[in-house]
Amino acid sequence: MDNPFKKIITVFPDKSDSYNIYIGRNVYTNLPSLLREQKVNSQIAVISVPPVSRLYMQRVRDLFDSKWQVFTRDVNDGEISKSMRVAQDLYTWLIENRFERSSTIIALGGGVVGDLAGFVAATYLRGIHLVHLPTSLLAQVDSSIGGKVGINHTLGKNLIGAFYQPKFVLTDTSVLSTLDDTEYLCGMGEVIKYGILSNNNFFQFLEENIDFILEREPELQDQIVQHCINQKAEIVSQDTYETGIRSSLNLGHSFGHALETYMLYKGLKHGQAVMLGIMCAVHASRIKRLISEGAERRITGLIKRIPVRLPERLNDRTIKDLLEIMKRDKKVAGGKINLIGIEDIGSVRKIEVTEQILQEAFYMLNDFTEG
Ligand SMILES: NC(=O)c1ccc[n+]([C@@H]2O[C@H](COP(=O)([O-])OP(=O)(O)OC[C@H]3O[C@@H](n4cnc5c(N)ncnc54)[C@H](O)[C@@H]3O)[C@@H](O)[C@H]2O)c1
Ligand SMILES: [Zn+2]
């Protein structure tokens, strides 16, 4: 059979089986045959959210003949569904439908569905098969790779979770055409992160093509997706449990999580918060005299060309709240706050910062306020 995919990238996690990420356009038709290659039974639960399900659920369902038992379920759209309550509803549904160890959960959606459905797959019967069909840019380039699954706690994001690897990931870049512009920009937050982490001219590629990328030129978009998947696959294959190099993927995320939590998962979305978080990391790295002048100029220049803005100005009070949230974050160790600092494009490292530095970094974000 001809290979229907533009690219197949393999991830090699420590202590688990390797798995493939199949990337291409209009490739969902391969889902049943890819499943048959795995040792799964005929029982499948496809979990999604209404905006995605409306567009793609029927298409996915129609791929399966009567030999399969396909169950489908939507959870509410948005971060709010990454909760114990929703996970509990899904467990009930799986138990009622007699799902077994060799049954499969398919996550059809963005990072929210992937994290939630992945968490349920990891914990139901101590783990059933999981397949990701990531549909947002963020999910395709980031959350569907590397096995982190989880839900939120009211005291913070992603505090409950597991490392749980999928059987495979099927990434259809053609579905990105229905993603709205804001969500596309969110994905760009992670893409820029990869640009900063990458030492092979990917940042330059982004600088040169940013206008076309923002216009969502399909060929460029596919190149970006492939590049980022490759980069993430390499990193998580080297460091599955985030004891070393994988933590570089948290660039911009400590600040980003604080902004996201502060805005109560509403005003600012993950990828946008990450982009602003990267700006905070640039500021903190400058205060620490770590970042080269060139890198600071280029990163700030690129992010300024992307229409991402803080919904409201930050003042002393807001910043105090943001610091409180950050201190609760899991990356706080022994009262010191560890962050990923930037030395140069392609070179980042862990740094320890004081509250004073965090405060100043947040203040500087006011350059990125709306209006
Ligand atoms: N597990 C990880 O390693 C990891 C990494 C990064 C982020 N995350 C998590 O991912 C989540 C964010 O993911 P996200 O940005 O994909 O958010 P999301 O899942 O909420 O999706 C964003 C929006 O786009 C819609 N959508 C998705 N695909 C679509 C399509 N093809 N067409 C039309 N609409 C579509 C969704 O319905 C939703 O409204 C956060 O919870 C974050 O914590 C996890
Ligand atoms: Zn992220």
Side-chain angles (χ1 to χ4, degrees), residues 314-330:
L314 303 177
N315 55 36
D316 287 351
R317 239 195 57 91
T318 1
I319 291 177
K320 196 164 159 276
D321 291 345
L322 285 166
L323 291 181
E324 282 310 311
I325 298 170
M326 262 183 118
K327 281 193 268 178
R328 264 197 329 245
D329 199 49
K330 55 184 183 288

Side-chain angles (χ1 to χ4, degrees), residues 10 25 32 36 60 84 89 94 96 102 127 129-130 139 142 196 210 222 225 227 233 268 281 320 329 335 356 363:
T10 308
R25 290 192 159 253
R36 274 194 299 269
V60 170
M84 205 36 120
D89 288 348
L94 294 170
E96 284 174 355
S102 53
H129 301 305
L130 170 66
D142 195 355
I196 296 168
I210 190 66
D222 287 9
V225 171
H227 176 96
L268 204 62
K320 196 164 159 276
D329 199 49
Q356 177 70 26
Y363 260 114

Side-chain angles (χ1 to χ4, degrees), residues 14 44 76 87 144-145 166 169 193 211 217 268 310 318 370:
D14 191 23
I44 286 169
N76 287 333
S144 63
I145 313 145
V169 183
K193 175 184 85 179
D211 294 333
E217 206 279 307
L268 204 62
L310 203 59
T318 1
E370 263 161 8

Side-chain angles (χ1 to χ4, degrees), residues 76-303:
N76 287 333
D77 195 31
E79 193 68 33
I80 192 91
S81 278
K82 274 176 59 174
S83 71
M84 205 36 120
R85 193 190 55 73
V86 176
Q88 174 77 25
D89 288 348
L90 292 172
Y91 296 137
T92 309
W93 175 62
L94 294 170
I95 295 165
E96 284 174 355
N97 288 300
R98 298 194 167 77
F99 267 67
E100 299 169 2
R101 278 299 289 278
S102 53
S103 309
T104 306
I105 287 184
I106 296 182
L108 172 69
V112 163
V113 172
D115 281 12
L116 168 74
F119 178 73
V120 169
T123 45
Y124 177 71
L125 301 179
R126 298 188 189 83
I128 68 173
H129 301 305
L130 170 66
V131 166
H132 284 297
L133 264 53
T135 61
S136 67
L137 180 60
L138 183 139
Q140 296 199 345
V141 300
D142 195 355
S143 61
S144 63
I145 313 145
K148 277 194 189 176
V149 295
I151 54 177
N152 300 324
H153 189 279
T154 40
L155 294 181
K157 259 183 72 75
N158 297 331
L159 293 181
I160 320 291
F163 284 100
Y164 194 68
Q165 310 298 338
K167 285 283 146 190
F168 60 88
V169 183
L170 181 55
T171 300
D172 190 329
T173 54
S174 70
V175 306
L176 295 179
S177 64
T178 54
L179 198 63
D180 72 29
D181 284 341
T182 310
E183 293 304 336
Y184 190 75
L185 278 185
C186 280
M188 286 305 296
E190 307 288 354
V191 170
I192 288 172
K193 175 184 85 179
Y194 290 114
I196 296 168
L197 298 179
S198 169
N199 52 16
N200 58 4
N201 299 329
F202 183 57
F203 194 86
Q204 192 182 337
F205 173 85
L206 295 176
E207 289 176 308
E208 285 168 1
N209 295 291
I210 190 66
D211 294 333
F212 300 111
I213 294 169
L214 293 176
E215 283 168 20
R216 304 171 61 164
E217 206 279 307
E219 189 49 44
L220 278 174
Q221 178 191 286
D222 287 9
Q223 276 181 16
I224 290 173
V225 171
Q226 280 180 35
H227 176 96
C228 295
I229 292 177
N230 217 355
Q231 204 174 329
K232 180 145 186 191
E234 266 179 31
I235 293 173
V236 299
S237 294
Q238 285 174 56
D239 178 19
T240 308
Y241 300 108
E242 199 173 314
T243 52
I245 185 178
R246 184 167 181 172
S247 63
S248 65
L249 293 169
N250 293 325
L251 174 62
H253 278 61
S254 297
F255 290 106
H257 279 169
L259 287 164
E260 208 179 346
T261 307
Y262 181 74
M263 305 283 174
L264 288 171
Y265 312 144
K266 282 186 202 132
L268 204 62
K269 300 197 169 206
H270 180 79
Q272 294 167 304
V274 166
M275 235 180 295
L276 295 170
I278 290 174
M279 278 315 305
C280 291
V282 167
H283 295 318
S285 305
R286 193 200 28 224
I287 299 168
K288 296 275 284 187
R289 296 178 195 284
L290 182 72
I291 190 167
S292 76
E293 227 175 86
E296 182 184 355
R297 185 173 31 76
R298 289 175 70 191
I299 297 167
T300 310
L302 184 62
I303 294 183

Side-chain angles (χ1 to χ4, degrees), residues 36-54:
R36 274 194 299 269
E37 286 172 15
Q38 306 290 329
K39 288 192 179 63
V40 303
N41 69 14
S42 58
Q43 209 175 21
I44 286 169
V46 191
I47 299 172
S48 193
V49 287
V52 177
S53 156
R54 243 188 334 263

